[in-house]
Amino acid sequence: MALHVPKAPGFSQMLKEGARSFQGLEEAVYRNISACKEFSETVRTAYGPNGMNKIIINHIDKLFVTNDAATVVKELEVEHPAAKIMILASQMQEEEVGDGTNFVIVLAGSLLENAQDLLRMGMTPADIISGYELAMEQTVQILDALVCVTISDCREEELVTKAVKTAVMSKQYGNEDFLARLITKACISIMPEETTFNVDNVRVCKILGSSLLNSEAILGMVFKRQAEGEITKKNKAKIAIYTCPVDIGTTETKGTVLIKSAGELLKFSEGEEHKLEQEINAIKEAGVDVIVSGGKIGDMALHFINKAGIMAVRVNSKFDIRRLCKATGATPLPDITVPTKDELGYADSVYTDELGDTCVVVFKLEGQESKISTIVIRGSTDNYLDDIERSIDDGINTFKGIARNGRFVAGAGASEVEVAKRLRKYADSVSGLERYAVQKFANALEVLPKTIAENSGMKVKEVMDRIHQAHFKEDDSGINVGINIEGEREDVTLDASEVGLWDPVELKKWGVKFATSAVVTILRVDQIIMAKKAGGPAAKTPRGNDEED
């Protein structure tokens, strides 16, 4: 008989065998902070225009080369529960604003690092949380006061291009001018008069080969495929869109046809062919120039389509069919019927083209306002094209932000330094232990401009000293002074507002809110309970960077 070993009295006595429990500052809080700091430092080097790229190989061996924090955290598959809270905060930022994911993670990591110093000094997590929440509310108010530019009309191309350029620069430094103009053209051309701007209405088509500078924005849609028939171009085309295959119809039930002679066989096939030809001719008589099918186009049907002089295009994706209907104004038809005038779509030109060694079909709308535009991007490798697509996505989301709220604060780290300065002044008026947490919140904000300087290979202390001198002028003339990453030894600062380096105020506000919310949630955790996994070994201990194997 096996010897029974009694469990130690206490909390672990109530749990299954193999379960683990950690509690208190040393075991739970410091472990969580340590893991989050390590995760934050991983993506911190990718922050800013000169941020370094990461090579990530995910669970299906797909390779990613990117400095986009949203892609990095998505593909890393982090297991630590506290680090997951930071990831959730960055994902909420991506959904709400569409940019600034790295901002959230770097700020949250810095806030936790500063909180650890306060905990070691003897402050309780409750005091730190109270101070951080005070500082967050004050930061949001200060950001409203720091607005330097307001874009009231999102169709004003010059101002919008400047605003979009800052977002694109963080991922495609050097190509920001060209890409910003491309994104602005694509977005303004489809901006509706009454309803809100939808980012899904700007499509991206990636085609290998040539240079990025050969990319273009097209009003309408582009599909990477060939036309099905012999006709490859139609101008002022009326379009019929079918969600079903264009082919000889099949019966709903099975049947048997008894054929006794060759003549009967010919008559039987002639009947089917004649019916299909009648259908195609009727579609032609309705004024249709282009047939788009969501399924296959049969050989026999294609023969009669060519005979009728109609262009045929096959689109496999039901989502692309839906978008094409929206772009051309067509109604999707579930069966091969003759479309009415209201059901037909229109495009100024539908044609096939060859870009590099890739064949494309273009539905172009020039004469009327299009509801969908496509940015055709060119590049030498798939990874490069993916990275350009991410920067375009950030630019499009910035335009969406302009359509909602066109207020901007100075970029290049200027707004963070100014907020930190005003927070320190506010901390002097706060009574109680919360004042120390507010001061640490200000210190945490300054990590963002320090990171930009550090990733650009600049002397961080010297740069921050110059920026502080500008911001502490009595006449407030230097509140928009930020880091000049292109400057020489003596030229390390610039007026971000004047040179057009603007950050959306909503991006900063939501970033601060989500980062603070994640930090508060992590600091509230004082116990980690890891139950034994069913049918497997006990769950692994959450590790920080100070834990030995």
Side-chain angles (χ1 to χ4, degrees):
M1 190 174 115
L3 180 67
H4 174 69
V5 180
K7 289 184 181 179
F11 188 78
S12 59
Q13 198 174 26
M14 296 186 288
L15 302 175
K16 282 184 180 180
E17 193 176 340
R20 309 180 84 174
S21 170
F22 306 93
Q23 59 186 341
L25 285 177
E26 292 292 337
E27 283 193 341
V29 181
Y30 288 157
R31 278 172 186 266
N32 286 343
I33 291 174
S34 186
C36 291
K37 271 169 58 185
E38 194 168 322
F39 175 66
S40 175
E41 282 163 13
T42 304
V43 294
R44 185 178 161 184
T45 53
Y47 186 71
N50 287 321
M52 304 295 281
N53 284 344
K54 311 286 181 192
I55 291 180
I56 298 163
I57 301 168
N58 68 4
H59 63 287
I60 56 170
D61 288 337
K62 186 177 179 184
L63 178 75
F64 294 85
V65 182
T66 180
N67 65 349
D68 179 37
T71 307
V72 171
V73 299
K74 182 181 174 185
E75 300 302 331
L76 274 180
E77 295 185 8
V78 174
E79 286 293 327
H80 194 284
K84 274 186 174 177
I85 292 169
M86 285 172 68
I87 290 171
L88 286 170
S90 74
Q91 287 173 346
M92 287 300 295
Q93 173 80 355
E94 178 74 14
E95 287 177 23
E96 185 66 40
V97 186
D99 194 10
T101 49
N102 211 345
F103 176 90
V104 172
I105 295 169
V106 172
L107 180 57
S110 182
L111 286 169
L112 285 168
E113 193 173 348
N114 282 278
Q116 191 172 19
D117 295 339
L118 294 173
L119 289 168
R120 293 194 191 281
M121 285 166 58
M123 275 183 73
T124 63
D127 290 330
I128 297 170
I129 288 166
S130 177
Y132 274 6
E133 286 175 341
L134 267 177
M136 180 198 73
E137 290 168 9
Q138 191 66 22
T139 300
V140 170
Q141 291 176 24
I142 294 168
L143 283 168
D144 280 329
L146 292 180
V147 171
C148 62
V149 174
T150 302
I151 301 175
S152 53
D153 182 9
C154 57
R155 287 183 173 82
E156 198 171 335
E157 198 166 326
E158 189 180 341
L159 281 175
V160 171
T161 303
K162 276 188 178 180
V164 169
K165 189 171 80 171
T166 311
V168 175
M169 190 188 287
S170 64
K171 290 185 180 60
Q172 284 296 318
Y173 185 48
N175 297 318
E176 65 273 8
D177 290 320
F178 175 75
L179 284 173
R181 284 196 299 273
L182 213 61
I183 293 163
T184 305
K185 180 186 172 185
C187 293
I188 289 178
S189 63
I190 62 161
M191 181 66 193
E193 290 290 341
E194 296 176 2
T195 56
T196 55
F197 178 79
N198 184 359
V199 292
D200 194 47
N201 289 347
V202 181
R203 311 302 304 159
V204 173
C205 181
K206 298 176 285 187
I207 295 176
L208 272 173
S210 193
S211 156
L212 172 64
L213 298 175
N214 287 334
S215 303
E216 60 178 326
I218 294 172
L219 280 174
M221 293 198 71
V222 179
F223 300 103
K224 284 200 285 186
R225 59 185 312 108
Q226 290 178 306
E228 297 293 310
E230 296 170 359
I231 314 297
T232 57
K233 185 171 184 180
K234 285 284 183 180
N235 290 323
K236 295 183 179 177
K238 291 181 179 177
I239 303 164
I241 299 178
Y242 296 98
T243 57
C244 61
V246 178
D247 203 355
I248 296 169
T250 55
T251 55
E252 290 181 6
T253 56
K254 288 183 179 179
T256 305
V257 178
L258 189 62
I259 295 171
K260 295 179 180 177
S261 65
E264 288 182 1
L265 180 61
L266 284 170
K267 282 181 181 178
F268 177 76
S269 59
E270 276 175 10
E272 278 191 328
E273 289 171 17
H274 184 63
K275 186 174 183 298
L276 184 61
E277 188 176 11
Q278 280 182 325
E279 287 175 347
I280 301 295
N281 286 337
I283 291 169
K284 173 67 179 174
E285 285 168 12
V288 174
D289 299 304
V290 180
I291 287 177
V292 178
S293 171
K296 71 167 189 171
I297 299 175
D299 292 338
M300 186 64 66
L302 195 58
H303 165 71
F304 292 123
I305 286 170
N306 288 334
K307 191 176 174 183
I310 299 173
M311 184 176 175
V313 179
R314 182 182 173 188
V315 177
N316 291 329
S317 167
K318 65 179 180 181
F319 300 106
D320 281 340
I321 286 278
R322 198 179 299 163
R323 291 186 190 104
L324 185 59
C325 289
K326 189 175 183 180
T328 59
T331 303
L333 302 170
D335 201 4
I336 306 298
T337 54
V338 179
T340 63
K341 283 185 180 180
D342 294 335
E343 291 170 338
L344 287 175
Y346 175 82
D348 287 299
S349 58
V350 181
Y351 60 93
T352 59
D353 199 357
E354 196 169 336
L355 300 174
D357 59 352
T358 307
C359 291
V360 294
V361 177
V362 181
F363 290 79
K364 206 168 192 176
L365 292 102
E366 292 170 340
Q368 61 181 43
E369 184 185 331
S370 173
K371 293 180 180 176
I372 290 184
S373 63
T374 304
I375 299 175
V376 180
I377 53 175
R378 308 297 305 279
S380 53
T381 65
D382 286 324
N383 275 315
Y384 182 54
L385 289 171
D386 290 341
D387 220 26
I388 293 166
E389 185 182 12
R390 292 183 199 109
S391 64
I392 287 173
D393 184 54
D394 285 352
I396 294 166
N397 278 294
T398 301
F399 183 85
K400 179 187 173 184
I402 295 169
R404 280 183 183 174
N405 182 351
R407 298 186 304 153
F408 289 83
V409 292
S415 56
E416 286 89 346
V417 174
E418 184 63 25
V419 170
K421 183 192 92 172
R422 297 191 186 189
L423 269 182
R424 289 192 184 98
K425 194 175 179 181
Y426 168 73
D428 295 337
S429 65
V430 176
S431 59
L433 293 172
E434 287 89 350
R435 70 189 309 172
Y436 300 108
V438 175
Q439 287 170 351
K440 288 292 185 183
F441 195 101
N443 292 349
L445 278 170
E446 288 201 342
V447 165
L448 295 153
K450 282 178 184 175
T451 304
I452 293 173
E454 197 176 293
N455 291 347
S456 300
M458 304 170 85
K459 292 180 180 177
V460 179
K461 286 185 179 178
E462 185 183 323
V463 172
M464 293 305 294
D465 186 45
R466 296 273 185 89
I467 290 174
H468 281 136
Q469 285 175 22
H471 279 263
F472 278 87
K473 286 179 181 176
E474 290 183 7
D475 59 353
D476 280 346
S477 61
I479 62 171
N480 294 328
V481 171
I483 298 166
N484 182 11
I485 60 172
E486 295 175 345
E488 299 297 328
R489 181 176 173 79
E490 298 299 320
D491 184 26
V492 292
T493 63
L494 49 72
D495 191 313
S497 176
E498 284 183 7
V499 298
L501 292 174
W502 309 327
D503 287 332
V505 72
E506 290 299 310
L507 182 148
K508 299 288 185 189
K509 277 186 182 180
W510 283 109
V512 168
K513 285 177 184 176
F514 287 133
T516 309
S517 177
V519 168
V520 165
T521 305
I522 291 164
L523 288 175
R524 284 192 195 279
V525 174
D526 72 336
Q527 191 167 6
I528 306 168
I529 304 161
M530 304 195 75
K532 182 181 176 182
K533 288 182 181 177
K540 290 181 181 177
T541 309
R543 293 184 180 274
N545 57 4
D546 59 344
E547 185 182 358
E548 294 179 358
D549 290 333

